[in-house]
Amino acid sequence: MAPQGQFVYHQLASDFRGNVLYPLNHLATVYPDIYGREVPKYAGREGVMSYRVPHLDAPWADTVNLSTLDPRLLVAARERLGIASSQLLQRCLLQIPIEHLAGHRLVRYSGATR
């Protein structure tokens, strides 16, 4: 069991529905309207969606991406440094206790992976 107070984070769309985080590909069946809205973001870089994630043998669009860093810390650091911040926290932030990840296949992503 994980020490108390350890979390991962996921930003929710303003129209998030239900209580399950679905990978992009699964939204095609569960919430086709949301899938239809999100897929155009990958126009011209469709290869990202089909990229096979090492150690999972699954396409990227069949995964849910979580952050180990609380995005609020990033925003605060940018503000302290006088660096303009994106709209990073316009969405609701879901804080997930890491013990909820037990039993799921996980990998650590690095931008260097690709």
Side-chain angles (χ1 to χ4, degrees):
M1 183 163 214
Q4 189 174 15
Q6 292 186 341
F7 302 94
V8 291
Y9 303 88
H10 186 80
Q11 290 181 289
L12 301 177
S14 60
D15 61 348
F16 181 80
R17 300 174 199 155
N19 58 5
V20 174
L21 293 176
Y22 291 102
L24 181 61
N25 280 343
H26 297 203
L27 288 174
T29 303
V30 181
Y31 297 118
D33 59 317
I34 295 174
Y35 177 81
R37 179 192 68 211
E38 297 298 319
V39 167
K41 294 177 183 178
Y42 299 94
R45 54 190 189 110
E46 291 82 0
V48 170
M49 293 176 56
S50 60
Y51 171 72
R52 307 279 312 166
V53 178
H55 309 292
L56 291 182
D57 193 33
W60 179 89
D62 278 351
T63 66
V64 172
N65 294 278
L66 305 170
S67 174
T68 56
L69 175 66
D70 183 336
R72 295 170 292 199
L73 298 174
L74 178 60
V75 170
R78 291 177 70 100
E79 286 175 0
R80 278 193 309 277
L81 294 170
I83 299 172
S85 189
S86 67
Q87 303 300 320
L88 189 61
L89 292 178
Q90 293 296 320
R91 294 180 169 196
C92 182
L93 185 62
L94 179 62
Q95 183 174 283
I96 304 165
I98 62 171
E99 58 266 15
H100 290 191
L101 303 178
H104 293 278
R105 294 175 43 211
L106 308 169
V107 295
R108 180 184 161 272
Y109 173 79
S110 165
T113 301
R114 273 198 68 142

